[in-house]
Amino acid sequence: MTHAFACPHCQEAINLEDSFTHQIESQLAKKYNQHYAEQKAALQQQQEEVRQQKLVMQRRQHDQQLEVQKAVDAQLKALQAEARQKARAEQETLVQTLQAELRDKSETVKSMQQQELALLRQQRELEEKQAALALDVEKRLRAERQSIEEKALQKARDESHLKEEEQQGLIRALTDQLHAMERKIK
């Protein structure tokens, strides 16, 4: 049973079921698109934060490398001046101290590189989550659309079955009336 009305302006038939179905599909699509856009914005914000952290880490690493270089340069100059004044034994002690500091600084640089690697992994995971979210939204939209189509098809079947039953009842009533009239005639 379709619900169609004529437009008061153009007299064109308007099918309410199609209008409602279209409206529901629009609302669902809008809802899921909004949800997807919010998730995407959150992911983009996280990616921007990761990028900013990476830049900060790179700046720190560069600054520390400059500091290490400045410290090494300063200490080497001091060692050269002292080497002229002090014995070879004192000079070897200072060189060993410098090497230990360089090892510490190298370990710091390694640690920062590992942190950068972890940030890159986080960024990759965020991108994978974003792709999975987009796929999930698409699946949900398809499932909703299929559910709406199935409901509309079932409703059409029910209305057709109801109409058929009404016609059968009418035929029975008319047949009963015809038999009653035939009996009266006899």
Side-chain angles (χ1 to χ4, degrees):
M1 177 179 219
T2 61
H3 299 285
F5 295 94
C7 176
H9 301 289
C10 65
Q11 300 305 320
E12 187 173 323
I14 301 172
N15 186 338
L16 290 181
E17 287 180 16
D18 290 345
S19 294
F20 289 140
T21 301
H22 177 69
Q23 187 177 15
I24 289 170
E25 285 178 351
S26 287
Q27 288 174 354
L28 284 173
K30 182 178 179 182
K31 176 183 165 188
Y32 285 116
N33 285 338
Q34 181 181 4
H35 179 70
Y36 174 73
E38 289 170 1
Q39 292 294 324
K40 185 176 180 182
L43 286 173
Q44 287 175 344
Q45 182 179 359
Q46 288 177 348
Q47 287 175 341
E48 180 60 25
E49 289 173 5
V50 167
R51 190 182 71 75
Q52 290 296 331
Q53 289 175 356
K54 182 179 175 184
L55 288 174
V56 168
M57 294 298 289
Q58 287 174 344
R59 282 190 215 119
R60 284 183 188 167
Q61 183 180 5
H62 179 69
D63 290 344
Q64 284 185 347
Q65 286 174 346
L66 287 176
E67 286 178 27
V68 167
Q69 191 62 41
K70 285 179 184 177
V72 169
D73 290 344
Q75 288 181 5
L76 282 175
K77 286 179 183 178
L79 282 176
Q80 288 172 352
E82 284 182 30
R84 295 182 194 114
Q85 298 171 3
K86 292 185 179 181
R88 194 169 232 148
E90 291 176 0
Q91 185 180 15
E92 289 177 1
T93 305
L94 288 174
V95 168
Q96 290 173 356
T97 303
L98 283 176
Q99 288 175 346
E101 284 182 21
L102 281 175
R103 277 193 301 272
D104 291 344
K105 297 294 181 178
S106 294
E107 288 176 9
T108 302
V109 168
K110 273 186 184 177
S111 171
M112 288 186 174
Q113 288 172 341
Q114 289 174 347
Q115 289 175 354
E116 181 180 357
L117 181 62
L119 287 174
L120 289 172
R121 282 186 191 132
Q122 283 180 341
Q123 182 178 2
R124 187 190 73 236
E125 289 171 3
L126 287 174
E127 290 169 355
E128 289 172 358
K129 285 180 184 178
Q130 183 179 8
L133 178 64
L135 180 63
D136 185 48
V137 168
E138 184 62 31
K139 285 180 180 177
R140 286 184 186 177
L141 281 174
R142 281 188 184 167
E144 284 293 327
R145 188 173 292 127
Q146 185 177 4
S147 173
I148 290 170
E149 289 172 0
E150 288 174 2
K151 286 177 184 177
L153 187 61
Q154 184 61 40
K155 187 174 181 179
R157 284 186 195 135
D158 291 346
E159 288 175 1
S160 172
H161 183 66
L162 186 61
K163 218 177 225 184
E164 188 178 311
E165 287 180 1
E166 286 175 4
Q167 288 176 351
Q168 291 295 329
L170 183 61
I171 289 171
R172 272 188 243 117
L174 289 174
T175 304
D176 290 344
Q177 285 179 358
L178 182 64
H179 288 305
M181 286 186 174
E182 285 177 354
R183 277 186 250 129
K184 283 183 181 179
I185 292 174
K186 290 182 183 180

